[in-house]
Amino acid sequence: MRKRVLIAGIICCLLFISVKLQAQSQSVPRWRGCWWQITTQNASLSTISGTVVGYALPGLIVKADNGKQIVVYGIGPWWFWRSQGIPRPRRGENVTIEAYEITLKNGNTCFVAARIITDKATIQLRDNETGLPLWCGPMKWAK
């Protein structure tokens, strides 16, 4: 009986370690509290225009005007949008997104939203100077 419990414990530890290693190898920016690691060394500001075709946690899937589908991360939590009085973009809605294009260590790129412009409104998601999300830290944005 003890031997079975020991083997089960070892298997659980190995599964935990393999899941942790797999999560660390994903090709998206690392989330550390409220900070996507955006610096001027690894990011440049890009503009993406297109139509929202869906959601991918934690971002939007946009069919860009050039026909490519792009996932834009870091669009912020629903409650931040609500506090600004702005509805999140829906499928089929045209958007223009100013996003940081980040080159990852493996050479892939991803996009992290800084500002989203819809037909109805514009929402600023990140501080222009620091790149920090406006929904984190001191609640300067709260009405």
Side-chain angles (χ1 to χ4, degrees):
M1 182 68 174
R2 281 185 160 172
K3 197 173 190 178
R4 286 184 179 176
V5 171
L6 180 62
I7 291 172
I10 290 171
I11 290 172
C12 287
C13 287
L14 291 173
L15 283 172
F16 175 77
I17 290 169
S18 68
V19 167
K20 180 96 171 140
L21 290 174
Q22 183 180 4
Q24 289 177 350
S25 70
Q26 298 298 317
S27 344
V28 295
R30 298 290 176 254
W31 177 261
R32 303 242 167 114
C34 264
W35 171 246
W36 290 87
Q37 293 182 323
I38 298 171
T39 65
T40 54
Q41 290 89 20
N42 70 350
S44 59
L45 209 53
S46 299
T47 301
I48 301 162
S49 294
T51 305
V52 175
V53 293
Y55 284 91
L57 293 177
L60 287 175
I61 303 171
V62 176
K63 184 171 184 179
D65 291 342
N66 65 8
K68 292 183 180 179
Q69 281 198 0
I70 300 171
V71 178
V72 180
Y73 297 95
I75 65 168
W78 64 268
W79 53 262
F80 178 72
W81 287 73
R82 182 176 287 171
S83 74
Q84 302 301 299
I86 299 172
R88 282 181 142 192
R90 298 191 182 275
R91 282 185 178 93
E93 191 169 350
N94 292 324
V95 293
T96 299
I97 302 172
E98 293 176 10
Y100 292 100
E101 185 175 356
I102 301 172
T103 302
L104 304 171
K105 290 179 184 177
N106 64 7
N108 292 340
T109 59
C110 68
F111 296 90
V112 178
R115 177 179 307 149
I116 298 178
I117 304 162
T118 67
D119 293 336
K120 301 172 187 164
T122 298
I123 187 167
Q124 183 74 30
L125 298 169
R126 299 188 171 276
D127 182 273
N128 288 331
E129 294 178 24
T130 65
L132 286 170
L134 297 179
W135 59 88
C136 293
M139 296 173 54
K140 298 176 192 173
W141 47 266
K143 292 182 178 181

